[in-house]
Amino acid sequence: MLRAIYPGSFDPVTYGHMDMILRSSKLVDELIIGVLNNKAKSPLFSVEELVRMLEEVTSDIPNVRILPFGGLLVDFARRVDACMIIRGLRAITDFEYELQMAQTNHKMAPDLETAFLTTRLEYSYLSSTTVKEVAAFGGDISQFVPAPVADRITEKMKKKESVD
């Protein structure tokens, strides 16, 4: 069985992420979306919320499973018996960072391969950070994220406003 991991923080999941998930799910028997618990960042959503959102927006893709993880990606890959990491590339600057990560991962786990998929042109500018910035200023994010995700972001932003 060819099992791959598509890792990320997905805070929030965008149409760019969804494109990568759909395309990579067609290349493998099972695709595990690894939701990184990154304590270095200040996320909008908890890992648990992100897992639930991803489960909702990928429910129609039968070979996708969503799992949270922390620590080294290579350790997570060993735990779930994955042989491949899928990474998306938007621009050349992404490639430099991703190449270093792929080489480091390969050094630690020589049997773990990394496959790079380039984003579709219509998503090449899109990032979770951009979505959060637009949402913070009350902009329409419906063109950037699936509807259930947009609803949750709007809820979060309203709660933040009432606290501030």
Side-chain angles (χ1 to χ4, degrees), residues 8-81:
S9 56
F10 305 102
D11 184 41
V13 61
T14 69
Y15 281 132
H17 293 128
M18 291 302 299
D19 178 58
M20 284 292 154
I21 292 167
L22 285 167
R23 290 170 48 212
S24 56
S25 72
K26 294 174 185 174
L27 303 174
V28 297
D29 299 310
E30 183 179 34
L31 180 66
I32 296 173
I33 309 303
V35 181
L36 177 62
N37 186 1
N38 188 345
K39 296 180 190 323
K41 290 185 176 181
S42 299
L44 181 60
F45 294 100
S46 70
V47 170
E48 295 77 22
E49 289 172 310
L50 294 166
V51 167
R52 283 194 303 272
M53 275 190 283
L54 279 158
E55 286 172 343
E56 184 176 355
V57 298
T58 62
S59 63
D60 61 336
I61 311 170
N63 65 330
V64 168
R65 189 164 41 131
I66 317 299
L67 295 173
F69 80 99
L72 293 175
L73 179 56
V74 294
D75 293 337
F76 178 58
R78 286 184 187 112
R79 282 195 305 275
V80 298
D81 197 29

Side-chain angles (χ1 to χ4, degrees), residues 70-108:
L72 293 175
L73 179 56
V74 294
D75 293 337
F76 178 58
R78 286 184 187 112
R79 282 195 305 275
V80 298
D81 197 29
C83 63
M84 183 185 306
I85 298 167
I86 306 281
R87 296 300 293 164
L89 299 174
R90 290 175 298 200
I92 194 71
T93 52
D94 287 345
F95 180 74
E96 290 179 36
Y97 171 78
E98 293 295 345
L99 179 62
Q100 286 181 323
M101 292 307 302
Q103 290 171 330
T104 302
N105 289 337
H106 189 70
K107 186 73 173 168
M108 292 186 291

